Amino acid sequence: MKAKKVKESRIVNTAQVLSCDLNNYNTLFGGVLMKKLDDAATLSARRHSRVKECVTASTDSIDFLCPIHQTDSVCVESFVTYTGKTSMEIFCKVIAEDIMTGERRIAATAFLTFVALDENKQPVIVPSIIPETEEEKFLYQTGKERAEIRKLRRQKSKELAAYISIEKPWDK
C-alpha cells in the first residue's frame, strides 16, 4: 500500500461562534468544540483511508488552552500524524481569531485515534504517512510514544472495567 502525504488528510473548518454555542461565561461550550474536533478528525481519517466508515477508538486528550469568545472565529485543523496497521492518530488544533483585531491564538489541541472499517465493519489496513513540514515531522516522530501510552492506558481501562459495577443503583 502506497504511503500518503500528511497534507492529503488535512481538513480545515472555520466557523463563527454563535450565541447558542456559549456557556454561562460567554465562552464556547467545551462540548460544542469537542463535536467540531470529532467531526474534523473523522473526515481526516476517512480522507486518509478512503473508506466509508471510520470509528473513534480513543480521544487521548483535549487541552483547552484559552477561551473562545463570541467575537472570535474558530478554526479546527486536523490531519493524520501517525498510523498503525489499522489505526490512525489524528491531531487537531483549534485556532481562535478575534475578528475585530485579527489576533490569532492556539485555543486547544487534541489527539484522537480512529480505525478504518470495511463494509463488514472489520478493521482494514491503512496507508502509512509521509510527513513534510517541521510540524508534521515532529508529530510523526513523537507518535510511536503516544501510541504506546495509548495501549497501556487502554489495558488499564480494561482492568478498571473488571471492577466497575453495572448494577442499577436502585437495585442495591
Side-chain angles (χ1 to χ4, degrees):
M1 183 173 285
K2 187 178 174 187
K4 293 184 174 181
K5 294 179 179 179
V6 169
K7 68 182 175 186
E8 294 179 61
S9 67
R10 192 174 299 267
I11 295 291
V12 179
N13 187 0
T14 304
Q16 63 183 340
V17 178
L18 302 174
S19 59
C20 62
D21 296 332
L22 301 176
N23 59 28
N24 56 335
Y25 300 104
N26 282 324
T27 59
L28 185 68
F29 267 115
V32 170
L33 184 57
M34 290 167 70
K35 182 180 183 330
K36 289 178 183 291
L37 293 170
D38 194 56
D39 288 347
T42 300
L43 288 174
S44 285
R46 287 185 60 206
R47 182 176 274 175
H48 181 74
S49 61
R50 292 297 176 197
V51 298
K52 185 176 181 181
E53 188 174 3
C54 288
V55 292
T56 310
S58 74
T59 301
D60 290 4
S61 63
I62 299 174
D63 295 313
F64 299 98
L65 303 175
C66 65
I68 300 171
H69 303 96
Q70 190 173 6
T71 55
D72 295 328
S73 68
V74 59
C75 176
V76 176
E77 198 174 319
S78 65
F79 49 93
V80 176
T81 52
Y82 189 79
T83 59
K85 184 177 178 182
T86 61
S87 65
M88 297 161 280
E89 177 190 77
I90 315 293
F91 175 66
C92 297
K93 61 182 170 182
V94 179
I95 301 168
E97 180 180 344
D98 185 307
I99 294 300
M100 302 304 291
T101 67
E103 177 207 354
R104 292 169 58 89
R105 61 201 184 280
I106 298 292
T109 59
F111 285 98
L112 295 87
T113 303
F114 283 78
V115 174
L117 302 178
D118 65 16
E119 51 281 340
N120 298 314
K121 310 285 187 205
Q122 295 301 306
V124 296
I125 295 172
V126 298
S128 58
I129 62 164
I130 302 167
E132 297 178 296
T133 68
E134 190 175 327
E135 177 184 49
E136 293 167 358
K137 288 175 183 175
F138 174 79
L139 291 167
Y140 176 75
Q141 290 164 356
T142 55
K144 184 175 176 122
E145 180 181 355
R146 284 188 302 277
E148 290 170 2
I149 292 168
R150 208 174 288 122
K151 282 183 185 176
L152 179 61
R153 191 181 70 237
R154 183 171 174 83
Q155 181 59 41
K156 293 294 182 185
S157 292
K158 286 182 178 182
E159 291 171 13
L160 174 63
Y163 291 94
I164 297 173
S165 170
I166 57 172
E167 293 178 36
K168 297 175 184 171
W170 52 87
D171 288 343
K172 289 184 179 185

